Amino acid sequence: MSDTALPSVLFVCVHNAGRSQMAAAFLTHIAGDRVQVRSAGSAPAGSVNPAVVAAMAEVGIDVSAEVPKVLTVEAVQVSDVVITMGCGDTCPVFPGKRYLDWQLPDPAGQGVEAVRPIRDDIEQRIRELIEEMVPEGQA
């Protein structure tokens, strides 16, 4: 199977330092190589939120080496599904793409205790997304 045959998902939030990083990490961790995963931010931070790194480490996923990336038109164009998390109108819209907007609290400036419920909510949404995107026989 070629890479182009894989479904692709782009997660977008403002800083690409919290919610979109957690979502991308969960999708990569759970779906493996069955889905292409990207994340980006409309105004990327300098680094991933340390509370997010700690909360993800608690569930065995290391995001400490991830770097926030700037949202590009190309990233949206090559993705089948674009999931926004608070970036509002800054996310470009193209015909033929599936857009989802996940209303999630922003973990910026929060401690790990506040990040855990956001992390758990994202994990549940990712599991539901995988069920939709990847046929039962491939799961």
Side-chain angles (χ1 to χ4, degrees), residues 22-88:
M22 287 189 284
F26 272 124
L27 184 53
T28 300
H29 181 76
I30 298 167
D33 59 3
R34 296 173 290 155
V35 178
Q36 289 183 323
V37 181
R38 298 175 185 84
S39 71
S42 52
S47 62
V48 175
N49 180 333
V52 166
V53 173
M56 292 301 286
E58 290 176 353
V59 295
I61 301 174
D62 182 6
V63 296
S64 63
E66 295 298 325
V67 176
K69 294 167 279 308
V70 68
L71 176 64
T72 64
V73 170
E74 293 78 19
V76 176
Q77 288 175 323
V78 299
S79 299
D80 298 314
V81 179
V82 178
I83 299 175
T84 57
M85 304 171 185
C87 75

Side-chain angles (χ1 to χ4, degrees), residues 5-21:
L6 293 175
S8 59
V9 179
L10 170 65
F11 296 101
V12 182
C13 66
V14 175
H15 301 296
N16 190 223
R19 295 165 290 187
S20 57
Q21 290 284 352

Side-chain angles (χ1 to χ4, degrees), residues 99-122:
Y99 289 88
L100 300 172
D101 185 43
W102 289 357
Q103 297 294 319
L104 295 160
D106 188 346
Q110 303 291 320
V112 71
E113 299 79 17
V115 173
R116 285 182 189 122
I118 302 167
R119 173 200 67 199
D120 296 344
D121 187 357
I122 290 172

